[in-house]
């Protein structure tokens, strides 16, 4: 009877050891998966950070280009206004000369 109980307890102990070994194996596997997920997450965060930095640099470049184009436009508008002013002065001078010539023609 005692021998039978001892054999049963030994079997239970062996089964418990097997279950413990399986649980430890499963825990190690889950730990490895968790580690891999942490690495993947860290990599994804680093890539996202790099993408954000790249986008920020591109935005800054676009703003600089826009500001440069705006400045160039302002210069062209200033030059155009100056040219229009010179044209107006030339038209007045032309009108004065034309008027003087017409007056001389009438006198003649």
């Amino acid at each position: 009877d005692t021998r039978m109980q001892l054999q049963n307890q030994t079997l239970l102990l062996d089964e418990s050891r097997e279950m413990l070994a399986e649980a430890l194996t499963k825990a190690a596997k889950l730990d490895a998966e968790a580690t891999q997920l942490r690495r993947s997450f860290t990599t994804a965060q680093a890539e996202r950070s790099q993408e954000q930095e790249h986008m920020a640099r591109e935005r800054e470049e676009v703003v600089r280009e826009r500001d440069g184009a705006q400045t160039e436009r302002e210069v062209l508008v200033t030059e155009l206004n100056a040219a229009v002013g010179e044209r107006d002065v030339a038209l007045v001078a032309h009108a004065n000369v034309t008027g003087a010539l017409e007056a001389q023609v009438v006198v003649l």
Side-chain angles (χ1 to χ4, degrees), residues 2 5 10 12 51 59 66 89:
T2 305
Q5 286 178 346
T10 302
L12 289 174
E51 288 173 7
R59 273 193 302 275
R66 183 201 65 205
V89 168

Side-chain angles (χ1 to χ4, degrees), residues 50-66:
Q50 288 175 346
E51 288 173 7
Q52 288 175 336
E53 290 172 6
H54 179 71
M55 288 173 56
R57 283 191 299 273
E58 284 183 344
R59 273 193 302 275
E60 290 170 359
E61 184 177 337
V62 167
V63 166
R64 279 193 302 274
E65 288 176 4
R66 183 201 65 205

Side-chain angles (χ1 to χ4, degrees), residues 28-96:
K29 181 181 174 186
L30 291 173
D31 184 56
E33 289 176 8
T35 299
Q36 182 59 39
L37 286 174
R38 280 192 294 274
R39 284 186 190 133
S40 296
F41 179 73
T42 300
T43 300
Q45 279 184 319
E47 289 172 355
R48 182 169 182 247
S49 178
Q50 288 175 346
E51 288 173 7
Q52 288 175 336
E53 290 172 6
H54 179 71
M55 288 173 56
R57 283 191 299 273
E58 284 183 344
R59 273 193 302 275
E60 290 170 359
E61 184 177 337
V62 167
V63 166
R64 279 193 302 274
E65 288 176 4
R66 183 201 65 205
D67 290 348
Q70 178 66 25
T71 300
E72 186 176 342
R73 179 188 167 279
E74 291 170 358
V75 168
L76 291 174
V77 166
T78 301
E79 290 175 357
L80 175 63
N81 288 338
V84 167
E86 290 174 11
R87 181 205 64 193
D88 292 346
V89 168
L91 286 174
V92 169
H94 177 73
N96 290 340

